[in-house]
Amino acid sequence: MSAYVLTDAVLATMNASAPYGLVPKAAVAVEGDRIAWAGPADALPPPFDGWPAERLEGRLVTPGLIDCHTHLVQGGDRAGEFEMRLEGASYEEIARAGGGIVSTVTETRKADEEALVSGALRRLDALIAEGVTTVEVKSGYGLDAETELRMLRAARRLGEARNVTVRTSFLGAHAVPPEQAGRADSYIDEVCLPALRRAAEEGLADAVDGFCESIAFDTAQIARVFDLAAELGLPVKLHAEQLSWMGGARLAASRGALSADHLEYANWEDAAEMARAGTVAVLLPGAFYTLGETQLPPVGAFRSHRVPMALATDCNPGSSPLTSLLLALNMGCTLFRMTPEEALRGVTVHAARALGLADRGRIAAGLRADLCVWDVDRPAELAYRIGFNPLHRRIVGGRT
Ligand code: DI6
Ligand code: FE
């Protein structure tokens, strides 16, 4: 088992002790895939002070970044729709006309597992190049059992092909497929729920997600999916209040969801319910930006109620073709007025919580040694620059 020390570092531990949990002139000891010790370098105790040490010359070390909401596995692209939107069509109009999610479904059904993996790897590699060490990947572009399961298998394979943790979410309740148009209830009961059972039996889903929206499913339909998730022992999360208020955030909170995501139309009372339930607010500025939204998520209400806020790319071919978590940090600050510290907590400690992972997201003894070394002087620089990648080194489970 390898054991080493990184010293002459500035640690943004993300512990609650100080802004960013900052420890200047610090050291971190790594043993195998775990952090063995972290703190001021001059307090490094035995036996760590005898381990091989590498000086980082004052570089910043953060927890490995976590992208807790992506649709990385997908067929085709939707550049044509981007052009239509620029000519004035809205996202909802395109969806209702059979474009949108449904057009990606057509392309995804045509793709075999190999093609899904190789397409997703290009996007995953872009995330990894900026320090992502854990990524969530959803199904939701199959909308039939075979293709939903194929997407999840492809997602699992991403974690074998690269040194990254992949967490999967079953998103069968993403849209009504064309062959079931107008029959959302029968789609849920006859296709989505049986597919979820199979995904659980095959160990392909770590969580269950849904899209609660006028162009997708209402709270009663999502509640049936959540009922089955509970029966199967799987945690839930929900795309909620993105384009309109549907009551999804409250439903999610009432089921103890890990997260409610998007939330532009969420309100004060939704934030209170989420706080009570410990549900993380996952904010997705890439979708807000791409769709030219003007309704801002209630960041102030989340702050007041102490709802943990996470940030993610929502990488998907329609509403957020974004493969940069650093840009999501910047957008969280410039568009949503989050502080750079909130943004960084949003892709570390709070993103870990949104995935139900207690073993990462901070720098502390006993946690996984998922770390990023950055060529920056101050942590705020990670959110401040636009289109610049200062990653010096990415360490996953102790390995560079
Ligand atoms: N909300 C989103 O932003 C994505 N899915 C969802 O439920 C969009 C997916 C797409 O347009 O392909
Ligand atoms: Fe999404």
Side-chain angles (χ1 to χ4, degrees), residues 71 78 91 101 141 174 211 239 242 262 314 316 318-319:
H71 308 248
R78 306 231 295 271
Y91 182 73
I101 294 176
Y141 290 124
H174 192 196
F211 188 19
H239 289 67
Q242 179 189 6
H262 286 289
D314 192 17
N316 77 66
S319 66

Side-chain angles (χ1 to χ4, degrees), residues 73-350:
V73 174
Q74 51 189 245
D77 76 86
R78 306 231 295 271
E81 240 174 63
F82 177 63
E83 293 177 310
M84 283 166 70
R85 278 206 313 277
L86 288 169
E87 283 159 16
S90 77
Y91 182 73
E92 282 119 312
E93 279 161 7
I94 292 169
R96 289 188 201 284
I101 294 176
V102 166
S103 72
T104 299
V105 169
T106 306
E107 296 301 316
T108 304
R109 286 177 176 177
K110 281 193 242 162
D112 63 15
E113 192 178 307
E114 208 52 51
L116 292 177
V117 171
S118 64
L121 279 176
R122 295 167 58 211
R123 294 178 282 276
L124 177 60
D125 285 339
L127 295 177
I128 284 175
E130 289 187 348
V132 168
T133 54
T134 299
V135 61
E136 185 257 16
V137 181
K138 303 174 194 299
S139 67
Y141 290 124
L143 310 183
D144 61 40
E146 285 319 311
T147 316
E148 286 294 304
L149 267 55
R150 189 161 75 251
M151 287 185 74
L152 293 171
R153 282 188 208 106
R156 286 277 190 246
R157 277 180 55 189
L158 298 177
E160 293 156 19
R162 294 292 185 271
N163 192 17
V164 69
T165 301
V166 172
R167 301 291 287 181
T168 58
S169 301
F170 174 85
L171 178 56
H174 192 196
V176 180
E179 66 275 11
Q180 294 266 11
R183 296 196 304 266
D185 280 302
S186 75
Y187 168 72
I188 292 286
D189 297 332
E190 288 156 30
V191 181
C192 182
L193 298 182
L196 171 53
R197 264 187 205 285
R198 281 185 58 193
E201 275 161 20
E202 293 187 30
L204 289 171
D206 299 319
V208 175
D209 196 352
F211 188 19
C212 189
E213 190 54 63
S214 58
I215 53 169
F217 301 97
D218 63 26
T219 50
Q221 290 156 346
I222 296 292
R224 295 214 293 285
V225 179
F226 283 3
D227 287 343
L228 180 58
E231 183 190 319
L232 297 169
L234 291 172
V236 298
K237 57 177 77 175
L238 191 62
H239 289 67
E241 339 300 359
Q242 179 189 6
L243 307 169
S244 61
W245 190 92
M246 295 278 291
R250 257 172 237 196
L251 170 68
S254 76
R255 300 302 183 96
L258 291 172
S259 68
D261 302 35
H262 286 289
L263 298 168
E264 277 82 347
Y265 287 82
N267 57 36
W268 181 264
E269 191 49 37
D270 297 325
E273 296 295 327
M274 289 171 64
R276 269 194 279 282
T279 297
V280 176
V282 176
L283 305 182
L284 304 167
F288 175 90
Y289 167 83
T290 301
L291 299 181
E293 295 289 337
T294 51
Q295 173 85 19
L296 286 164
V299 165
F302 295 138
R303 260 186 213 129
S304 299
H305 290 289
R306 298 186 183 283
V307 176
M309 289 181 279
L311 276 169
T313 60
D314 192 17
C315 177
N316 77 66
S319 66
S320 189
L322 171 63
T323 48
S324 169
L325 195 54
L326 291 179
L327 184 51
L329 284 189
N330 175 269
M331 288 177 168
C333 297
T334 52
L335 299 175
F336 294 168
R337 309 317 284 175
M338 293 169 79
T339 67
E341 183 185 357
E342 286 172 332
L344 194 56
R345 288 190 183 278
V347 295
T348 54
V349 57
H350 293 159

Side-chain angles (χ1 to χ4, degrees), residues 55-67:
R55 301 188 71 80
L56 293 181
E57 290 156 8
R59 289 192 178 89
L60 178 75
V61 180
T62 67
L65 304 191
I66 300 172
D67 193 349

